[in-house]
PDB file of all heavy atoms in Angstrom:
ATOM      1  N   PHE A1354     -22.926  -2.116  -1.848  1.00  0.00           N
ATOM      2  CA  PHE A1354     -24.310  -2.515  -2.059  1.00  0.00           C
ATOM      3  C   PHE A1354     -24.476  -3.713  -2.980  1.00  0.00           C
ATOM      4  O   PHE A1354     -25.432  -4.469  -2.840  1.00  0.00           O
ATOM      5  CB  PHE A1354     -25.117  -1.342  -2.651  1.00  0.00           C
ATOM      6  CG  PHE A1354     -25.130  -0.112  -1.803  1.00  0.00           C
ATOM      7  CD1 PHE A1354     -24.453   1.017  -2.197  1.00  0.00           C
ATOM      8  CD2 PHE A1354     -25.816  -0.085  -0.598  1.00  0.00           C
ATOM      9  CE1 PHE A1354     -24.453   2.161  -1.413  1.00  0.00           C
ATOM     10  CE2 PHE A1354     -25.822   1.045   0.197  1.00  0.00           C
ATOM     11  CZ  PHE A1354     -25.140   2.178  -0.217  1.00  0.00           C
ATOM     12  N   SER A1355     -23.564  -3.896  -3.941  1.00  0.00           N
ATOM     13  CA  SER A1355     -23.785  -4.895  -4.984  1.00  0.00           C
ATOM     14  C   SER A1355     -22.471  -5.545  -5.412  1.00  0.00           C
ATOM     15  O   SER A1355     -21.423  -4.868  -5.432  1.00  0.00           O
ATOM     16  CB  SER A1355     -24.434  -4.224  -6.202  1.00  0.00           C
ATOM     17  OG  SER A1355     -24.376  -5.058  -7.338  1.00  0.00           O
ATOM     18  N   PRO A1356     -22.503  -6.834  -5.777  1.00  0.00           N
ATOM     19  CA  PRO A1356     -21.300  -7.491  -6.304  1.00  0.00           C
ATOM     20  C   PRO A1356     -20.754  -6.812  -7.548  1.00  0.00           C
ATOM     21  O   PRO A1356     -19.561  -6.934  -7.844  1.00  0.00           O
ATOM     22  CB  PRO A1356     -21.787  -8.909  -6.622  1.00  0.00           C
ATOM     23  CG  PRO A1356     -22.962  -9.127  -5.727  1.00  0.00           C
ATOM     24  CD  PRO A1356     -23.629  -7.788  -5.620  1.00  0.00           C
ATOM     25  N   GLU A1357     -21.601  -6.079  -8.290  1.00  0.00           N
ATOM     26  CA  GLU A1357     -21.152  -5.403  -9.505  1.00  0.00           C
ATOM     27  C   GLU A1357     -20.036  -4.406  -9.212  1.00  0.00           C
ATOM     28  O   GLU A1357     -19.205  -4.122 -10.085  1.00  0.00           O
ATOM     29  CB  GLU A1357     -22.329  -4.679 -10.169  1.00  0.00           C
ATOM     30  CG  GLU A1357     -23.474  -5.584 -10.586  1.00  0.00           C
ATOM     31  CD  GLU A1357     -23.028  -6.610 -11.611  1.00  0.00           C
ATOM     32  OE1 GLU A1357     -22.253  -6.239 -12.520  1.00  0.00           O
ATOM     33  OE2 GLU A1357     -23.450  -7.775 -11.502  1.00  0.00           O
ATOM     34  N   GLU A1358     -20.011  -3.856  -7.995  1.00  0.00           N
ATOM     35  CA  GLU A1358     -18.993  -2.863  -7.647  1.00  0.00           C
ATOM     36  C   GLU A1358     -17.588  -3.450  -7.664  1.00  0.00           C
ATOM     37  O   GLU A1358     -16.610  -2.716  -7.828  1.00  0.00           O
ATOM     38  CB  GLU A1358     -19.288  -2.284  -6.261  1.00  0.00           C
ATOM     39  CG  GLU A1358     -20.599  -1.532  -6.167  1.00  0.00           C
ATOM     40  CD  GLU A1358     -20.973  -1.203  -4.732  1.00  0.00           C
ATOM     41  OE1 GLU A1358     -20.211  -1.559  -3.808  1.00  0.00           O
ATOM     42  OE2 GLU A1358     -22.041  -0.589  -4.537  1.00  0.00           O
ATOM     43  N   ALA A1359     -17.477  -4.768  -7.510  1.00  0.00           N
ATOM     44  CA  ALA A1359     -16.153  -5.398  -7.458  1.00  0.00           C
ATOM     45  C   ALA A1359     -15.576  -5.659  -8.843  1.00  0.00           C
ATOM     46  O   ALA A1359     -14.347  -5.794  -8.991  1.00  0.00           O
ATOM     47  CB  ALA A1359     -16.232  -6.715  -6.681  1.00  0.00           C
ATOM     48  N   LYS A1360     -16.412  -5.743  -9.845  1.00  0.00           N
ATOM     49  CA  LYS A1360     -15.969  -6.208 -11.165  1.00  0.00           C
ATOM     50  C   LYS A1360     -14.846  -5.374 -11.791  1.00  0.00           C
ATOM     51  O   LYS A1360     -13.908  -5.935 -12.365  1.00  0.00           O
ATOM     52  CB  LYS A1360     -17.167  -6.318 -12.101  1.00  0.00           C
ATOM     53  CG  LYS A1360     -18.090  -7.484 -11.731  1.00  0.00           C
ATOM     54  CD  LYS A1360     -19.164  -7.725 -12.761  1.00  0.00           C
ATOM     55  CE  LYS A1360     -19.960  -8.987 -12.418  1.00  0.00           C
ATOM     56  NZ  LYS A1360     -21.042  -9.249 -13.385  1.00  0.00           N
ATOM     57  N   PRO A1361     -14.876  -4.029 -11.698  1.00  0.00           N
ATOM     58  CA  PRO A1361     -13.764  -3.271 -12.307  1.00  0.00           C
ATOM     59  C   PRO A1361     -12.412  -3.547 -11.658  1.00  0.00           C
ATOM     60  O   PRO A1361     -11.371  -3.267 -12.255  1.00  0.00           O
ATOM     61  CB  PRO A1361     -14.180  -1.805 -12.098  1.00  0.00           C
ATOM     62  CG  PRO A1361     -15.647  -1.839 -11.856  1.00  0.00           C
ATOM     63  CD  PRO A1361     -15.910  -3.127 -11.155  1.00  0.00           C
ATOM     64  N   PHE A1362     -12.414  -4.104 -10.451  1.00  0.00           N
ATOM     65  CA  PHE A1362     -11.170  -4.263  -9.699  1.00  0.00           C
ATOM     66  C   PHE A1362     -10.694  -5.716  -9.629  1.00  0.00           C
ATOM     67  O   PHE A1362      -9.686  -6.001  -8.973  1.00  0.00           O
ATOM     68  CB  PHE A1362     -11.371  -3.741  -8.272  1.00  0.00           C
ATOM     69  CG  PHE A1362     -11.867  -2.319  -8.207  1.00  0.00           C
ATOM     70  CD1 PHE A1362     -13.201  -2.048  -7.972  1.00  0.00           C
ATOM     71  CD2 PHE A1362     -11.003  -1.260  -8.412  1.00  0.00           C
ATOM     72  CE1 PHE A1362     -13.668  -0.749  -7.915  1.00  0.00           C
ATOM     73  CE2 PHE A1362     -11.454   0.051  -8.356  1.00  0.00           C
ATOM     74  CZ  PHE A1362     -12.797   0.308  -8.114  1.00  0.00           C
ATOM     75  N   LEU A1363     -11.391  -6.625 -10.287  1.00  0.00           N
ATOM     76  CA  LEU A1363     -11.048  -8.040 -10.170  1.00  0.00           C
ATOM     77  C   LEU A1363      -9.637  -8.364 -10.668  1.00  0.00           C
ATOM     78  O   LEU A1363      -8.918  -9.141 -10.012  1.00  0.00           O
ATOM     79  CB  LEU A1363     -12.087  -8.898 -10.893  1.00  0.00           C
ATOM     80  CG  LEU A1363     -13.495  -8.878 -10.286  1.00  0.00           C
ATOM     81  CD1 LEU A1363     -14.427  -9.806 -11.048  1.00  0.00           C
ATOM     82  CD2 LEU A1363     -13.461  -9.250  -8.814  1.00  0.00           C
ATOM     83  N   PRO A1364      -9.196  -7.830 -11.805  1.00  0.00           N
ATOM     84  CA  PRO A1364      -7.814  -8.134 -12.219  1.00  0.00           C
ATOM     85  C   PRO A1364      -6.784  -7.718 -11.177  1.00  0.00           C
ATOM     86  O   PRO A1364      -5.800  -8.432 -10.939  1.00  0.00           O
ATOM     87  CB  PRO A1364      -7.655  -7.332 -13.515  1.00  0.00           C
ATOM     88  CG  PRO A1364      -9.045  -7.176 -14.042  1.00  0.00           C
ATOM     89  CD  PRO A1364      -9.899  -7.016 -12.816  1.00  0.00           C
TER      90      PRO A1364
END
Side-chain angles (χ1 to χ4, degrees):
F1354 301 110
S1355 166
E1357 300 299 319
E1358 297 169 0
K1360 289 188 174 179
F1362 305 101
L1363 294 182

